[in-house]
Amino acid sequence: MVDDEFYNRLMTTRHHIHQHPEVSESEYETTDYIKTYLRKLGIVPLDYPLETGVIVEIGSGLLIIALRADIDALPILERTGLDYASTNNAMHACGHDFHQTSLLGAAELLKARESELKGTVRLIFQPAEENFQGAHKVIRAGGLVDVSAIVGYHNNPHLKPGQLGLRSGAIMAGVEQFAVTVEGISAHAARPDLGVDAVLTITTIVNNLQQIVARTVSPFQSAVLSVTHIDVGNTWNVLPAEGFFEGTIRTFDPQVRLAVIDSFEKIVRDTAAQFGAKVSIEWGNSPKVTFNDASITPLIFETAKEYAEVIETLPSTGGEDFAAYQERIPGVFAFVGSNGDENAPDWHHDDFIVKDEALPVAVNYFVQSALALLDYYQEK
Ligand SMILES: [Zn+2]
Ligand SMILES: [Zn+2]
């Protein structure tokens, strides 16, 4: 098994990355650091058209299993007081410093047993997860070509180091961001019959939208729809011509997600039409459901019992752009316990802390999952 020297070295590596965070799509130094690190291990970065981020392969053969870690930070001023705190205006407040470090550790261990590998392991150091652009960039660059299955994880401060949370099906929510513009016809407040009232149109739409979760989603499924911002009108005696509202939908099942989006579009358009108003609906570029493949998740679950305390976790209502990979190929996404203290700050807080002791489970998760999946697909 792996010795203390290995994990001490990885810890130092993580502390260095943590001190030098770079926000989404600006991970230039991080990319250089990863490339240099990998070259020292005898692993040559591949020539994919990515401005930031790195893709490498270990092993050989047509069967390819991908491991993915994200590398970007957030524009947050760090207030952890750690002796390896950020030295600039960004912060690894989501723990992506930890993710990439564990993948570097996995690279070293896989490289050491390269001759035994029953295929190819493709390691994807993905940029820009926080703005949900990175997975699409990797896919456009060809990073998923010929890959049979992909493995990723997020650190989870609500689980202890040593624990691994996993479940088949949804593990993180599908996130929808909607913005709707309503166009009516302005009129004097005293002659609404001469106009098309944007205020009444919007408030009726917002009311009607609440039917979706209450009356179209199965009681055995779940969804959340929140309208969070309405902007219409600016005085007491004029009916405004235009208005706007926005909000978010969260779902945990790809079919439910599509059905809710369909109902949303129908209700918005039909309600507006009833008043004679025009609408335009804009959807943000946000991730779909992070959905663990039922055929390979049990295998990862069983394998993980050898190096972690495995917990069947509830899904998180947050989103993850790893979903973009799982839309195309089977994938497994887990939670690696990273803190576990009662008041551990959540992701994206300025005092967010990932504990170093969590590294072994993260490294093992990558290595053992890759080995198990190479076996599984080789025998298929
Ligand atoms: Zn994040
Ligand atoms: Zn994250």
Side-chain angles (χ1 to χ4, degrees):
M1 226 17 240
V2 186
D3 53 17
D4 286 350
E5 187 273 331
F6 173 79
Y7 282 111
N8 285 338
R9 203 152 35 78
L10 271 191
M11 192 178 76
T12 312
T13 301
R14 175 168 88 99
H15 293 181
H16 174 87
I17 296 170
H18 190 90
Q19 282 180 298
H20 302 92
E22 291 172 302
V23 299
S24 312
E25 300 185 87
S26 309
E27 311 93 336
Y28 294 101
E29 280 179 33
T30 307
T31 297
D32 284 347
Y33 181 84
I34 294 168
K35 284 183 176 172
T36 306
Y37 195 102
L38 291 166
R39 280 200 188 94
K40 281 187 196 152
L41 298 175
I43 303 165
V44 183
L46 298 174
D47 200 13
Y48 281 87
L50 284 171
E51 183 121 346
T52 53
V54 185
I55 299 179
V56 295
E57 287 183 352
I58 301 170
S60 60
L62 296 179
L63 170 60
I64 304 176
I65 300 300
L67 304 177
R68 173 275 207 175
D70 40 15
I71 65 169
D72 54 329
L74 289 152
I76 292 176
L77 276 181
E78 178 160 352
R79 292 190 207 284
T80 57
L82 290 168
D83 56 5
Y84 59 90
S86 168
T87 54
N88 62 33
N89 292 336
M91 176 185 175
H92 271 298
C94 207
H96 299 181
D97 54 329
F98 178 85
H99 299 170
Q100 59 195 294
T101 304
S102 63
L103 192 53
L104 288 171
E108 183 169 344
L109 299 187
L110 288 166
K111 186 69 185 171
R113 48 201 294 193
E114 189 166 29
S115 60
E116 303 164 35
L117 297 180
K118 294 181 182 167
T120 303
V121 184
R122 184 176 294 170
L123 285 70
I124 300 172
F125 295 84
Q126 183 207 296
E129 194 284 325
E130 295 294 355
N131 65 3
F132 303 137
Q133 298 297 319
H136 296 290
K137 283 175 189 283
V138 166
I139 291 164
R140 277 200 299 275
L144 227 51
V145 173
D146 297 327
V147 175
S148 293
I150 185 162
V151 173
Y153 78 87
H154 208 289
N155 72 83
N156 188 323
H158 304 299
L159 297 176
K160 291 190 179 69
Q163 293 180 322
L164 186 106
L166 195 56
R167 76 194 302 273
S168 268
I171 189 154
M172 293 189 76
V175 177
E176 263 38 71
Q177 182 187 355
F178 57 78
V180 179
T181 308
V182 173
E183 198 188 319
I185 296 170
S186 181
H188 195 292
R191 288 303 306 271
D193 55 308
L194 300 177
V196 172
D197 183 358
V199 175
L200 190 60
T201 307
I202 287 179
T203 51
T204 309
I205 292 174
V206 170
N207 266 318
N208 288 350
L209 285 175
Q210 295 308 321
Q211 297 167 22
I212 299 175
V213 176
R215 284 295 170 267
T216 68
V217 176
S218 154
F220 305 107
Q221 294 279 7
S222 64
V224 183
L225 189 157
S226 293
V227 175
T228 53
H229 175 201
I230 295 177
D231 186 5
V232 62
N234 51 26
T235 189
W236 70 279
N237 56 358
V238 179
L239 286 168
E242 240 190 30
F244 164 89
F245 68 92
E246 63 181 339
T248 184
I249 299 169
R250 304 288 157 118
T251 51
F252 300 92
D253 178 277
Q255 258 85 49
V256 172
R257 174 180 170 272
L258 290 176
V260 170
I261 290 172
D262 272 0
S263 303
F264 181 94
E265 297 241 358
K266 188 168 187 315
I267 286 177
V268 170
R269 293 190 197 290
D270 289 357
T271 311
Q274 183 193 324
F275 289 97
K278 290 182 193 152
V279 279
S280 73
I281 303 171
E282 268 180 63
W283 294 99
N285 175 27
S286 40
K288 301 193 172 66
V289 185
T290 306
F291 200 80
N292 284 336
D293 188 273
S295 62
I296 54 172
T297 304
L299 171 69
I300 303 300
F301 204 105
E302 283 309 308
T303 312
K305 285 179 182 166
E306 284 163 31
Y307 58 83
E309 180 195 341
V310 189
I311 290 167
E312 185 145 14
T313 183
L314 281 173
S316 153
T317 51
E320 211 343 297
D321 81 352
F322 190 80
Y325 303 124
Q326 290 174 314
E327 259 187 285
R328 289 161 176 85
I329 57 169
V332 177
F333 195 81
F335 289 133
V336 169
S338 59
N339 191 310
D341 291 349
E342 205 176 323
N343 298 316
D346 227 322
W347 299 320
H348 295 203
H349 284 237
D350 59 9
D351 53 353
F352 176 79
I353 291 178
V354 171
K355 292 183 177 174
D356 288 319
E357 309 91 274
L359 267 171
V361 166
V363 173
N364 270 303
Y365 170 71
F366 274 141
V367 173
Q368 300 306 329
S369 300
L371 296 176
L373 287 170
L374 284 175
D375 272 346
Y376 174 80
Y377 282 97
Q378 204 58 263
E379 280 158 25
K380 260 184 98 176

